[in-house]
Structure formats: C-alpha cells, structure tokens
Amino acid sequence: MATSSITTVPSSAYRWLVLTIVVATSTLYAMTILVVSVVLPQMQGTFSATSDQISWAMTANILGTAVITPISGWLAGKFGWRMTMLVCQGGFSVTTIICGYAESLETLVLFRALQGGFGAPLVPLSQAIILSVFPRQQHNIATSVFGMGVVIGPIIGPVLGGYLSELYNWRWAFFMLLPFCAVSFIGLWIALRD
C-alpha cells in the first residue's frame, strides 16, 4: 500500500502572523542590548561602582550572546524551533525581570549574561523561521520587514528606557519590557509549529 505525503502550504495570514510575532520578539531582544547604556550612571550610583565595574552590565550581555549564538542552529535541530524559541523567550523574560530586581552589581552582571545567552538564539532562529514560512519569491519583503524591526529595537529601547528611568529609576528600563515579553511568549506559543 503506497502512502502519499501531503505538504501543507502555510496560508498568507499565517505567514504574516508569524512574521509579526518573530519580528516583535527580535525587536524586544534588540532593545535590551543598548537599553542599559542610558541608565549606566544611575546604576553606577545605586551599586557604588566605578566606571570600569558598571560597564560589565553591558559587556556581560554581549558575552552571553557571543557564546550562545553559534549553537543556535544546533539547539533548533536538537529540540525544534518551537521549543527552542519558547525556552529562550521564557528564559529571556525571567532574566530581564531579575535584572530589574538586582540588589548587587554581581547579580546584575550574572543575569545580564544569562539574558544575553537566552536571547541570542531569538534573532537567527527568527530569520530562519521567516525564510522557511515564506515562499522564495517573498523572501525580499519578509527579510526587509524583519530587518526594520531589528534595527528599530536599539533605537526604541534607550529612548523609552531613559525616559522611564528619569520618571522612576533605572529598574524600569527592565520592567518596561515585561508586557512585551508576555505578549511575545504567548504569540510564539500560539503561532509557531515545527
């Protein structure tokens, strides 16, 4: 008895839903990379740290990202896109909130490194997901939309984080991301399938 394999083509609405969600997720991660740069002076005062010490709050995130980014493809191959994206987005969200509650510079640096590590696979896997969901003739427009989202994140993050830190304190540069993290996680949960 012969079996036939049926390949389902994602609908246009589904493709654009996935694009919207993964662009929002990537933008969220991009926001956190530079958001700390505008609140470093406030953090330095809170932790009574020198300029060299407080700069580790940025460096740790970049190091975490650099270590985990190369294994993003392996993680997706081992656990699937959906599971990898959900675990990374969940871990990223939790570490972001813990960064806001940090009571010492050491704790902040540790969780900034973890934040970078959990967030690292979000951008390359988002791009891979977009390229797999969209047909080849629509790759140009899909990657253009994706690129705009990733570029806008480092602009929005410092502006909004700086404004909230002036109104309240530096912790709100992290707390402001909580609603976006929740929406992103729910969106990934609903829309992504391996």
Side-chain angles (χ1 to χ4, degrees), residues 5 12 18 30 42 44 57-58 62 67 87 96 121 129 152 167 178 188:
S5 63
S12 180
V18 169
Q42 290 183 5
Q44 186 176 359
M58 287 200 59
I62 294 167
V67 168
V87 168
T96 298
I129 290 167
I152 289 172
L167 285 178
L178 180 59
L188 290 172

Side-chain angles (χ1 to χ4, degrees), residues 21-184:
I21 290 167
V22 297
V23 166
T25 301
S26 298
T27 302
L28 181 64
Y29 170 70
M31 287 172 66
T32 62
I33 294 173
L34 292 179
V35 72
V36 172
S37 63
V38 296
V39 296
L40 280 177
Q42 290 183 5
M43 293 166 60
Q44 186 176 359
T46 300
F47 298 126
S48 300
T50 65
S51 297
D52 290 343
Q53 291 171 330
I54 202 65
S55 67
W56 276 100
M58 287 200 59
T59 306
N61 187 278
I62 294 167
L63 287 174
T65 300
V67 168
I68 302 299
T69 298
I71 65 168
S72 299
W74 178 83
L75 289 170
K78 180 84 171 161
F79 302 107
W81 284 347
R82 185 173 192 269
M83 183 59 67
T84 303
M85 289 290 283
L86 288 172
V87 168
C88 287
Q89 178 59 25
F92 172 80
S93 302
V94 169
T95 54
T96 298
I97 298 308
I98 293 174
C99 285
Y101 283 114
E103 292 297 327
S104 69
L105 181 59
E106 293 80 11
T107 305
L108 179 66
V109 168
L110 171 66
F111 283 101
R112 281 287 287 170
L114 290 174
Q115 183 188 45
F118 277 112
L122 296 176
V123 175
L125 292 183
S126 292
Q127 192 167 18
I129 290 167
I130 289 168
L131 293 176
S132 72
V133 169
F134 278 85
R136 184 172 297 280
Q137 62 269 22
Q138 292 182 332
H139 281 184
N140 290 343
I141 191 163
T143 55
S144 297
V145 172
F146 175 78
M148 284 190 310
V150 173
V151 169
I152 289 172
I155 297 169
I156 295 171
V159 171
L160 191 55
Y163 179 73
L164 288 174
S165 67
E166 287 297 320
L167 285 178
Y168 305 108
N169 62 32
W170 64 266
R171 298 177 189 280
W172 283 91
F174 295 103
F175 295 153
M176 72 174 182
L177 300 171
L178 180 59
F180 302 112
C181 287
V183 168
S184 173

